[in-house]
Amino acid sequence: MSPVLVSPALEAARGAMQQSGVDALWISQPANIRYLSGFSSPEDAKLLLTPDAAILYTDSRYALQAAQEVKVEIHIARSPATLEHAAEWVQGLKVGFEAEHLTVAGLDDLKQYWQAELVPLRRPIETLRLVKSDAEIAMIRRAQAIADAAYAEVLPQIRAGARETDLSLALELAMRRLGADGPSFETIVASGERGALPHGRASDKLLVAGELVTLDFGALIGGYHSDMTRTVPVGEVSAELRRLYMAVLDAEDQAIAAVGPGVRTADLDALARGVLAGHDLAEHFTHSLGHGVGLDIHEGPGLRAASDEVLRPGMVITIEPGVYLEGVGGVRIEDLLLITESGHEVLSQSSRARL
Ligand SMILES: CSCC[C@H](N)C(=O)N1CCC[C@H]1C(=O)O
């Protein structure tokens, strides 16, 4: 039996377990496993949490790494031996599982190997991750500072003739050199008409004078992400592109000014959409205003119409309005914000272009 664990995250998870009316939790979502155990290769692990045990299951490739990183009990095995071992712990219990992360085959396996009542739960651990601890905020702050520094290094290279992939590589190299474990996600560099692709991966296209280029990137440290976007003119741009840019800047400014504890995320999304409607651009804002950032690049709270979430101090969110016009291009400006007791702090420090 593992020692009684006092990690705040595990304690909170046990609280969530009780509230959901289950005796144990079977965790398969990688960021949730990392959050609860500290294991840095959670894609190849599972976690079982009972009232008096926490067991990380991983395979022999990670035996040493797990012993170095993890404070909970470790069991080295591959499925189905994993499930056979866990079966002894869950016998006769009500076991919650993550409905959004267990495959149909995974659930079949649990039914085959366990004599337990299986209870689907929605986001049992993600809910705990919404509000970050001071240590988590420090990691995200560092990741963002690295992304800002990398952007400052690469900015002079954003000029006519530069290749999108060279800019993405330069950003990723600079972030690694500055201490990142890697990029947060595949860096987006979308210039000219490609700017109409919200997730336009860097291509071999060369930047042309008169275009806008959107760069969306982040750094990863200790599993924590940062996320920011800048749209930059390549030389002089047309009055139409300038109009698009100023409209998005206006939407971002107004949304950021409204961010604070107690604010409904759906209201922020509506506010930004309203600003863009005032510029006749609402139909071109085709995604949500933003999202939480932490161990996952996209996590709660969602800043979208269908969300009923309310901002709380300690949440880290993006504000990222954008407009996308096929055949013309696009603009997105994104900053990373920490919700504080009195309002917010903008964590991303890079200046935005003023056209
Ligand atoms: C592939 S991760 C993309 C990160 C980016 N900052 C982002 O979150 N978005 C870009 C377009 C909208 C938004 C999204 O919802 O993906």
Side-chain angles (χ1 to χ4, degrees):
M1 184 186 292
S2 68
V4 175
L5 291 152
V6 290
S7 132
L10 280 171
E11 269 186 3
R14 289 203 168 98
M17 224 159 78
Q18 276 187 342
Q19 278 200 335
S20 312
V22 297
D23 312 305
L25 272 179
W26 179 249
I27 310 291
S28 44
Q29 202 272 355
N32 289 340
I33 294 173
R34 187 164 190 161
Y35 180 70
L36 295 173
S37 71
F39 186 47
S40 70
S41 295
E43 295 77 12
D44 288 318
K46 299 279 184 281
L47 187 74
L48 176 65
L49 194 60
T50 73
D52 33 37
I55 306 170
L56 180 89
Y57 292 97
T58 188
D59 65 73
S60 52
R61 293 171 297 174
Y62 300 103
L64 180 58
Q65 182 185 326
Q68 288 170 344
E69 293 179 348
V70 168
K71 298 278 184 293
V72 303
E73 185 172 325
I74 299 162
H75 188 83
I76 302 293
R78 273 190 185 271
S79 196
T82 310
L83 298 180
E84 284 166 353
H85 180 275
E88 294 178 25
W89 287 91
V90 301
Q91 171 99 24
L93 299 185
K94 256 183 158 179
V95 185
F97 65 90
E98 297 161 298
E100 287 137 318
H101 301 293
L102 193 67
T103 61
V104 174
L107 182 57
D108 275 352
D109 289 345
L110 299 190
K111 285 180 183 158
Q112 184 186 339
Y113 285 94
W114 293 359
Q115 294 200 316
E117 183 183 341
L118 295 167
V119 183
L121 299 177
R122 282 180 185 256
R123 309 177 73 74
I125 306 302
E126 284 86 343
T127 308
L128 309 177
R129 287 170 40 208
L130 286 169
V131 171
K132 273 65 183 169
S133 68
D134 289 349
E136 291 181 292
I137 292 167
M139 291 285 230
I140 297 170
R141 209 184 268 286
R142 250 179 80 203
Q144 183 55 53
I146 285 176
D148 280 321
Y151 180 65
E153 271 189 32
V154 173
L155 196 52
Q157 298 173 38
I158 303 178
R159 53 174 184 255
R163 193 179 301 277
E164 289 180 355
T165 43
D166 287 335
L167 295 176
S168 70
L169 282 171
L171 279 168
E172 292 176 8
L173 185 68
M175 290 193 289
R176 278 193 184 271
R177 204 178 343 93
L178 290 161
D181 298 332
S184 252
F185 50 89
E186 199 176 335
T187 297
I188 292 169
V189 181
S191 62
E193 289 187 19
R194 297 193 72 253
L197 304 168
H199 278 196
R201 291 194 189 99
S203 73
D204 59 5
K205 178 184 174 301
L206 304 180
L207 272 51
V208 175
E211 291 178 341
L212 292 172
V213 56
T214 298
L215 303 103
D216 186 342
F217 58 99
L220 187 66
I221 295 196
Y224 286 86
H225 298 76
S226 71
D227 194 5
M228 70 178 270
T229 305
R230 290 293 180 262
T231 298
V232 179
V234 185
E236 280 288 306
V237 299
S238 66
E240 173 60 1
L241 291 181
R242 188 169 180 281
R243 184 183 86 80
L244 300 181
Y245 185 89
M246 296 312 285
V248 173
L249 194 63
D250 189 14
E252 204 212 8
D253 278 341
Q254 294 201 40
I256 288 178
V259 169
V263 174
R264 293 179 66 242
T265 58
D267 291 345
L268 285 172
D269 181 85
L271 187 159
R273 239 162 262 286
V275 174
L276 288 169
H279 293 274
D280 273 339
L281 288 168
E283 77 198 81
H284 300 290
F285 179 20
T286 49
H287 52 70
S288 62
L289 178 63
H291 53 88
V293 175
L295 284 170
D296 282 314
I297 181 63
H298 288 146
E299 55 181 53
L303 281 73
R304 56 174 183 269
S307 171
D308 58 2
E309 288 166 305
V310 174
L311 294 179
R312 283 182 275 161
M315 289 180 167
V316 175
I317 60 164
T318 66
I319 295 288
E320 50 180 314
V323 293
Y324 309 94
L325 283 78
E326 192 180 347
V328 176
V331 175
R332 181 167 63 257
I333 312 174
E334 173 184 26
D335 283 282
L336 190 64
L337 279 76
L338 169 67
I339 313 306
T340 62
E341 294 289 343
S342 58
H344 66 262
E345 182 191 344
V346 181
L347 300 179
S348 37
Q349 297 287 304
S350 300
S351 60
R352 301 169 302 175
R354 298 270 158 200
L355 305 191

